[in-house]
């Protein structure tokens, strides 16, 4: 039992921690983790802190150099260091000073490989803590490893549902129990508050708490043998996790006489609309999250993404200056999730486009919406490399228990098999591949927690699934891409209609944890836009490829078409290369232009009136996807010359010049006025989820005045 003197310690009793003390890599280099901390800083600068031997500590500025700063920044995922600062510029750290007299040559992979006095050997004070300023650009494809060397699991707290509620999904109400000393124990409710319940509900993926029937639980408590935990808990309500609450007073344990004036704690939570309770036989209703002011984009999993805010009809991002777990929790609860697991900075879940609406956000944790928090409207100095993101707690819905992949070479691919009710029993079966596409595959990958969809397969004869699950049990599946489960998509229900049958034509998917993050440069479009009048006789190839408006079908060869021309520059800011799905042998040859199309329709260009009506459109086929230019240090991988491989490498961009055929919108029939230019991706194309998240219905320029 913990001594009462520890009554105000942080509630670490709820955490099981395994620390790899003095962990060594195969090369003998100590395993460390770095972070930037301190006051008045941006995400790419701060006091250097090192996690070693289970403890965070600082680095002394003695002998520190720009070479050491370069090693630090690269280890944190930045391309380079800009400068370093001695004398605790970002504030004094606390606790251990792990490294002193650090000497780096600049090429080391980790700060632990640099020379020093040794870990913990230092004569410095925290007034000598060193800081660095890194280049804001990220290393292309850099993957963050959270809690390296440290595993934290909250497995010793549970909401134990009563028998009547155990079949409900999710479990939203029950006795709160703590596992201590290998035994589950109750908590006395004599000092329990609604704020404590709020924190518990947030941990389990629920945005709020509610009242419950006290009488029924009192009757149940009288019949149960009691085994109370020895402490009360004191939460303020804005904590993201019970581990950050404080212990209350110690409780004297007297067997069944313990908590004589109270009863075991009961918690009752309110689920978000997307997770409303349903019996375990299925999730029939397609709930949609209402996100009028805030939304998440670019996340691979449910409840994560880049934070975007709606202002004056335009979606924009949030700068990560001062972004913390409280602000992230406000976002999560607003969207119907629980508290935040992580507040992410530095565009960790992709860069947005358009304006940066909010900066230096400060929340108390009790706001109903992020827009109620204090923030700086001036985003001067913020770029999309500083876009804030969140990862939220979500309820345990058991989604993965009703769907599986079978026969694949790895857990991320295979034939899709679903659990369906047939003749009063649950059986596994396949999904008809008619109309099966990327949208459906995205839902499958998300439901299984496998990330993005990389491919949707309509033939799976090469994947030997479970022979007892060959029968088709689901057909006519049509998904919008936002559903949480495949059951929520439109489908034929119990009536199965699959003309091709199952077997080799069963639906399959391939999932991936990473995806391209393609961002169009609005600035390039604005700088290169112009009008051109061109005769029909010079547009025959473009006419064959349907790059002109329908009125061109009846136009005389000597007539002219008015074209809105522009260049497009498409950057891949993601964590994997973008490639056309079709292999070179299936590319389509176009005789008039004398080239192959790797994707028949790569992009759509729309001109929209101010009331939202589309007045003109264009499209661009992909005849050459290649790395036109790359960031410093990135090698080009794709080049169209000599029938080479096509794609866009992470950290590179592809440019389609304004003078290329079909790089336009035919506005011959458009009246003079102000219009909105919209660039979007054709949704039928087989592309990873990140592509849709960033490109569907994006306003590139607020107004384009077209004067005839």
């Amino acid at each position: 039992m913990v001594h009462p003197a520890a009554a105000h310690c942080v509630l670490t009793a709820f955490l099981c921690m395994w620390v790899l003390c003095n962990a060594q890599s195969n090369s003998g280099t100590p395993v460390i983790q770095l972070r930037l901390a301190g006051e008045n800083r941006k995400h790419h600068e701060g006091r250097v802190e090192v996690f070693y031997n289970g403890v965070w500590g600082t680095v002394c500025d003695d002998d520190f150099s720009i070479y050491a700063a370069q090693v630090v920044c690269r280890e944190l995922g930045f391309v380079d260091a800009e400068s370093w600062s001695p004398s605790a510029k970002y504030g004094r750290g606390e606790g251990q000073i792990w490294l002193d007299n650090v000497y780096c040559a600049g090429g080391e992979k980790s700060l632990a490989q640099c020379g020093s006095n040794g870990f913990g050997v230092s004569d410095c004070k925290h007034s000598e803590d060193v800081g660095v300023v890194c280049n804001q650009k990220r290393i292309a494809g850099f993957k963050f490893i959270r809690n390296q060397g440290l595993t934290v699991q909250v497995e010793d707290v549970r909401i134990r549902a009563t028998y009547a509620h155990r079949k409900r999904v999710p479990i939203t109400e029950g006795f709160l129990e703590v596992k201590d000393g290998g035994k589950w124990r109750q908590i006395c409710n004599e000092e329990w508050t609604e704020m404590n319940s709020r924190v518990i509900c947030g941990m389990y993926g629920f945005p709020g708490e509610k009242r419950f029937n006290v009488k029924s639980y009192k009757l149940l408590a009288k019949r149960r043998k009691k085994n109370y935990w020895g402490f009360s808990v004191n939460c303020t309500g804005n904590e993201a996790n019970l581990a950050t609450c404080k212990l209350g007073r110690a409780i004297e344990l007297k067997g069944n006489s313990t908590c004589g004036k109270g009863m075991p704690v009961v918690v009752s939570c309110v689920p978000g609309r997307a997770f409303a309770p349903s019996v375990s036989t299925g999730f029939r209703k397609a709930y949609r999250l209402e996100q009028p002011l805030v939304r998440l984009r670019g996340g691979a999993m449910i409840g994560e993404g880049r934070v975007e805010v709606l202002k004056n009809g335009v979606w924009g991002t949030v700068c990560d200056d001062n972004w913390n777990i409280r602000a992230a929790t406000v976002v999560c609860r607003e969207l119907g999730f629980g508290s935040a697991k992580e507040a992410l900075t530095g565009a960790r879940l992709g860069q947005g486009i358009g304006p940066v609406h909010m900066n230096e956000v400060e929340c108390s944790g009790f706001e109903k919406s992020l827009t109620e928090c204090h923030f700086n409207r001036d985003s001067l100095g913020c770029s999309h490399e500083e876009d804030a993101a969140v990862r939220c707690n979500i309820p345990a819905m058991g989604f993965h228990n009703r769907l599986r992949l079978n026969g694949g070479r790895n857990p991320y691919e295979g034939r899709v098999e679903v659990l369906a009710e047939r003749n009063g029993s649950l059986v596994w079966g396949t999904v008809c591949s008619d109309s099966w596409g990327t949208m459906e595959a995205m839902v499958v990958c998300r439901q299984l927690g496998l990330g993005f969809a990389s491919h949707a397969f309509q033939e799976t004869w090469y994947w030997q699934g479970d022979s007892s699950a060959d029968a088709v049990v689901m057909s006519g599946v049509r998904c919008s891409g936002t559903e949480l489960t495949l059951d929520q998509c439109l489908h034929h229900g119990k009536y199965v209609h699959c003309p091709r049958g199952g077997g080799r034509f069963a639906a399959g998917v391939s999932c991936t944890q990473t995806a391209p993050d393609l961002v169009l440069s609005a600035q390039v479009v604005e700088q290169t836009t112009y009008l051109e009048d061109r005769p029909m006789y010079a547009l025959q190839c473009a006419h064959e490829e349907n790059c002109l408006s329908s009125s061109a079908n009846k136009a005389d060869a000597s007539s002219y078409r008015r074209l809105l021309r522009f260049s497009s520059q498409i950057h891949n800011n993601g964590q994997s290369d973008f490639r056309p799905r079709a292999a070179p042998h299936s590319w389509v040859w176009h005789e008039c232009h004398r080239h192959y199309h790797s994707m028949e329709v790569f992009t759509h260009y729309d001109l929209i009136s101010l009331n939202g009506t589309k007045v003109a459109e264009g499209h661009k086929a992909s005849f050459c996807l290649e790395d036109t230019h790359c960031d410093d240090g990135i090698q080009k991988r794709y080049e169209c010359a000599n029938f080479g491989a096509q794609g866009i490498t992470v950290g590179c961009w592809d440019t389609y010049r304004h003078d290329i055929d079909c790089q336009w919108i035919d506005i011959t029939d458009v009246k003079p006025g102000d219009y909105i230019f919209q660039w979007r991706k054709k949704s039928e194309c087989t592309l990873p989820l990140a592509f849709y998240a960033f490109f569907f219905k994006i306003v590139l320029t607020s107004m384009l005045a077209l004067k005839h």
Side-chain angles (χ1 to χ4, degrees):
M1 182 184 296
V2 181
H3 193 275
H8 295 288
C9 295
V10 174
L11 185 58
T12 54
F14 284 97
L15 298 180
C16 299
M17 302 176 65
W18 291 268
V19 180
L20 302 180
C21 299
N22 298 315
Q24 303 284 321
S25 66
N26 293 334
S27 63
T29 303
V31 176
I32 65 171
Q33 183 181 356
L34 300 183
R35 70 181 181 188
L36 299 181
E39 307 162 355
N40 300 321
R41 67 182 189 90
K42 291 184 177 290
H43 74 281
H44 58 95
E45 63 179 341
R47 181 177 61 247
V48 179
E49 294 193 351
V50 180
F51 185 80
Y52 174 73
N53 203 19
V55 177
W56 284 101
T58 61
V59 178
C60 183
D61 58 14
D62 292 351
D63 292 338
F64 203 84
S65 67
I66 189 64
Y67 300 112
Q70 290 170 349
V71 173
V72 168
C73 290
R74 284 198 297 270
E75 190 168 356
L76 288 169
F78 299 99
V79 296
D80 203 356
E82 293 185 352
S83 63
W84 65 278
S85 304
S87 305
K89 175 184 176 181
Y90 297 99
R92 301 184 182 189
E94 297 178 350
Q96 189 77 41
I97 298 177
W98 276 127
L99 295 172
D100 188 10
N101 296 112
V102 176
Y103 173 79
C104 301
E108 294 85 354
K109 299 294 185 183
S110 169
L111 192 65
Q113 295 177 348
C114 297
S116 70
N117 293 346
F119 281 89
V121 181
S122 173
D123 59 357
C124 294
K125 298 179 180 179
H126 282 296
S127 58
E128 301 172 79
D129 286 343
V130 75
V132 298
V133 178
C134 301
N135 187 299
Q136 293 191 46
K137 287 190 176 181
R138 292 282 186 190
I139 296 174
F142 184 83
K143 297 179 181 178
F144 291 83
I145 302 174
R146 183 170 177 257
N147 293 330
Q148 181 178 349
L150 173 67
T151 303
V152 180
Q153 296 182 344
V154 185
E155 295 180 335
D156 52 350
V157 182
R158 72 180 182 185
I159 299 175
R160 185 178 181 183
T162 62
Y163 181 79
H165 289 161
R166 284 178 188 172
K167 291 187 178 181
R168 298 181 71 85
V169 179
I171 293 175
T172 60
E173 184 175 296
F175 290 104
L176 181 67
E177 295 186 338
V178 179
K179 195 172 187 180
D180 180 37
K183 296 181 179 180
W184 287 104
R185 306 176 189 273
Q186 301 85 38
I187 300 177
C188 178
N189 74 344
E190 288 181 359
E191 297 183 9
W192 190 262
T193 67
E194 289 185 1
M195 294 297 99
N196 294 350
S197 295
R198 173 181 167 87
V199 174
I200 292 291
C201 290
M203 284 175 56
Y204 282 91
F206 304 112
E209 75 290 343
K210 64 181 178 68
R211 297 181 181 275
F212 57 92
N213 188 335
V214 178
K215 290 183 179 180
S216 62
Y217 279 100
K218 276 188 176 181
L219 290 173
L220 286 171
K222 286 181 180 179
R223 300 172 189 169
R224 298 179 61 188
K225 183 179 179 181
K226 300 176 184 63
N227 183 16
Y228 283 103
W229 189 56
F231 292 93
S232 59
V233 182
N234 183 16
C235 301
T236 61
N238 59 5
E239 296 89 349
N241 193 291
L242 198 61
T244 55
C245 296
K246 294 182 179 179
L247 284 174
R249 66 177 180 86
I251 295 175
E252 186 178 356
L253 301 178
K254 302 178 182 178
N256 282 339
S257 299
T258 306
C259 196
K261 297 181 180 179
M263 59 176 278
V265 166
V266 175
V267 173
S268 183
C269 305
V270 179
R273 282 192 60 197
F275 306 102
S278 171
V279 291
S280 59
T281 54
F283 307 94
R284 300 294 183 191
K285 193 170 182 180
Y287 291 98
R288 300 295 176 84
L289 294 177
E290 291 184 353
Q291 302 176 5
L293 296 175
V294 178
R295 69 182 184 185
L296 301 182
R297 286 293 183 268
M301 308 298 180
I302 300 170
E304 71 173 28
R306 180 183 62 256
V307 180
E308 295 188 351
V309 181
L310 185 65
K311 178 183 177 183
N312 297 329
V314 178
W315 287 101
T317 61
V318 178
C319 187
D320 63 10
D321 292 354
N322 298 339
W323 187 249
N324 58 27
I325 199 73
R326 285 189 180 181
T329 293
V330 170
V331 170
C332 291
R333 291 185 187 272
E334 178 180 1
L335 296 178
F337 304 114
S339 53
K341 290 190 290 188
E342 286 185 278
L344 304 173
T345 59
R348 290 263 296 274
L349 294 184
Q351 298 181 29
I353 65 171
V356 178
H357 283 326
M358 302 176 75
N359 184 23
E360 298 176 347
V361 178
E362 293 285 350
C363 302
S364 68
F366 294 101
E367 294 85 355
K368 297 295 184 183
S369 171
L370 185 69
T371 57
E372 296 177 6
C373 299
H374 295 287
F375 64 93
N376 187 351
R377 299 177 187 274
D378 182 8
S379 57
L380 188 65
C382 286
S383 69
H384 286 299
E385 292 179 344
E386 301 172 77
D387 285 344
V390 298
R391 286 196 176 105
C392 307
N393 287 310
I394 63 171
M397 299 294 292
F399 287 153
H400 60 284
N401 296 326
R402 302 184 58 81
L403 186 73
R404 68 187 184 189
L405 302 183
N406 218 330
R409 296 163 297 180
N410 58 64
Y412 288 86
E413 67 177 19
R415 185 176 78 175
V416 178
E417 297 178 358
V418 298
L419 194 61
E421 185 179 348
R422 289 293 180 269
N423 300 322
S425 60
L426 293 174
V427 297
W428 286 100
T430 58
V431 179
C432 184
S433 64
D434 290 350
S435 75
W436 186 259
T438 302
M439 290 298 186
E440 291 71 36
M442 287 195 297
V443 175
V444 168
C445 293
R446 186 187 303 120
Q447 181 175 347
L448 292 173
L450 298 179
F452 301 103
S454 57
H455 290 92
F457 299 97
Q458 293 189 344
E459 291 189 34
T460 53
W461 54 268
Y462 38 80
W463 285 332
Q464 191 66 39
D466 188 340
S467 59
S468 64
D470 283 343
V472 177
V473 296
M474 180 180 278
S475 63
V477 181
R478 292 275 188 175
C479 302
S480 67
T482 60
E483 296 86 354
L484 301 182
T485 69
L486 201 62
D487 269 352
Q488 292 180 357
C489 300
L490 294 174
H491 59 91
H492 290 155
K494 293 183 179 180
Y495 173 73
V496 175
H497 177 68
C498 189
R500 294 198 300 174
R504 65 174 294 173
F505 296 110
V509 300
S510 175
C511 306
T512 177
Q513 290 291 324
T514 60
D517 176 4
L518 301 180
V519 178
L520 180 71
S521 172
Q523 184 179 11
V524 170
V525 174
E526 291 177 324
Q527 291 174 347
T528 59
T529 300
Y530 64 96
L531 295 176
E532 178 190 6
D533 291 330
R534 200 168 190 188
M536 271 297 297
Y537 64 78
L539 295 170
Q540 291 307 306
C541 289
H543 194 198
E544 285 185 17
E545 293 187 13
N546 298 315
C547 295
L548 302 175
S549 63
S550 58
S551 64
N553 297 331
K554 300 178 181 179
D556 185 84
S558 61
S559 64
Y560 281 75
R561 309 299 297 180
R562 173 152 288 190
L563 308 176
L564 178 68
R565 308 200 67 150
F566 48 87
S567 298
S568 63
Q569 189 180 95
I570 304 165
H571 295 246
N572 185 357
N573 294 334
Q575 292 188 339
S576 65
D577 295 354
F578 173 73
R579 299 292 308 280
R581 181 191 177 193
H585 69 270
S586 61
W587 293 354
V588 179
W589 174 257
H590 282 258
E591 182 65 29
C592 190
H593 276 134
R594 305 291 297 174
H595 60 226
Y596 285 95
H597 284 181
S598 55
M599 295 173 65
E600 269 306 302
V601 178
F602 181 52
T603 57
H604 279 296
Y605 307 120
D606 297 331
L607 208 62
I608 299 175
S609 66
L610 299 186
N611 65 8
T613 303
K614 183 164 65 175
V615 296
E617 65 179 351
H619 74 271
K620 188 75 187 78
S622 168
F623 68 89
C624 177
L625 276 174
E626 66 177 3
D627 298 326
T628 309
H629 296 286
C630 296
D631 290 331
D632 292 341
I634 306 297
Q635 288 290 113
K636 295 182 180 180
R637 297 182 59 186
Y638 303 106
E639 188 174 4
C640 296
N642 300 319
F643 205 53
Q646 293 195 20
I648 307 176
T649 304
V650 174
C652 300
W653 58 91
D654 182 25
T655 301
Y656 274 64
R657 286 174 49 88
H658 56 84
D659 52 3
I660 295 175
D661 253 12
C662 296
Q663 190 63 37
W664 62 56
I665 298 178
D666 182 355
I667 60 169
T668 305
D669 306 316
V670 178
K671 297 179 180 179
D674 294 335
Y675 298 91
I676 295 172
F677 182 98
Q678 177 175 281
W679 187 91
R680 59 186 173 89
K681 186 69 196 70
K682 186 179 180 184
S683 60
E684 290 85 355
C685 292
T686 304
L687 296 169
L689 175 61
F691 198 93
Y692 295 97
F694 295 117
F695 277 79
F696 191 70
K697 292 186 179 177
I698 293 174
V699 177
L700 300 179
T701 55
S702 58
M703 304 284 281
L704 279 177
L706 309 179
K707 305 297 183 183
H708 285 265

